[in-house]
Amino acid sequence: MLDQSYYQVADEIIGRYGKKPSSLIPIMQDIQEVYRYLPGELLTYVAGEIGVKEAKAYSVATFYENFSFEQKGKYVIKVCDGTACHVRKSMPILEALFKELGLSKKKHTTDDMLFTVETVSCLGACGLAPTMMVNEDVHPKMTPEKAAELIEELRGEGR
């Protein structure tokens, strides 16, 4: 059960776009930007408010890869595994992050909700490979050592 404040935020976002079916994606994007995930209960609420069937809202949310129903950490780390990054050894960076944070391919978010680690197909920074992003900040020419240093730096900020 979500806190009432979630519904108030959703109402504010819906107010910006209007109660119409064509507002579904921008509303979902804004909700995810606020909470770093799409709470299922809130998606159901939004669907009802804008006149979209719940099944339609869920089909849109599951079709687009950037929407997530899992709560994410304060720092969302995206490790690129596109061709350029992969051949320049992005997987050892991912493995170092998993080890440093106690995560795995099945567990993506730390228990303290500070870090979420994901792999992505491309970050569009192939000339800077291997690349990773932390929230909106691009970190080029990464190494496992640089990734571990960055985690320590972020841990200091996160406290």
Side-chain angles (χ1 to χ4, degrees):
M1 185 94 178
L2 293 176
D3 183 79
Q4 189 61 35
S5 65
Y6 281 75
Y7 297 98
Q8 291 167 343
V9 168
D11 286 339
E12 289 172 19
I13 293 169
I14 292 167
R16 282 194 293 249
Y17 295 102
K19 289 187 176 187
K20 54 188 187 256
S22 62
S23 299
L24 179 63
I25 291 176
I27 290 169
M28 290 177 7
Q29 288 172 319
D30 284 9
I31 288 171
Q32 182 157 299
E33 187 174 322
V34 171
Y35 298 111
R36 294 187 303 276
Y37 80 113
L38 270 178
E41 280 181 57
L42 209 51
L43 184 57
T44 298
Y45 174 77
V46 166
E49 289 294 302
I50 66 171
V52 172
K53 292 186 180 196
E54 185 177 357
K56 171 76 171 176
Y58 275 87
S59 71
V60 170
T62 55
F63 177 79
Y64 292 104
E65 199 173 288
N66 64 321
F67 291 119
S68 173
F69 289 111
E70 291 182 30
Q71 198 166 4
K72 296 185 179 194
K74 178 179 179 179
Y75 300 108
V76 178
I77 301 169
K78 295 179 181 179
V79 178
C80 182
D81 193 33
T83 304
C85 288
H86 188 84
V87 299
R88 292 190 178 129
K89 311 270 188 244
S90 61
M91 286 301 93
I93 296 164
L94 181 66
E95 291 164 10
L97 289 169
F98 282 166
K99 183 179 178 188
E100 182 74 27
L101 298 170
L103 299 175
S104 67
K105 289 181 181 178
K106 291 184 180 183
K107 182 181 181 192
H108 301 274
T109 301
T110 57
D111 293 337
D112 62 5
M113 297 302 294
L114 201 53
F115 298 99
T116 297
V117 176
E118 305 172 336
T119 57
V120 294
S121 299
C122 186
L123 291 173
C126 302
L128 304 173
T131 308
M132 72 181 213
M133 284 183 72
V134 178
N135 296 343
E136 300 302 315
D137 298 327
V138 176
H139 295 271
K141 301 189 186 293
M142 288 303 295
T143 64
E145 296 77 24
K146 284 184 187 176
E149 288 172 17
L150 183 58
I151 293 300
E152 285 308 309
E153 185 181 314
L154 294 172
R155 276 188 176 132
E157 289 176 14
R159 290 188 176 128

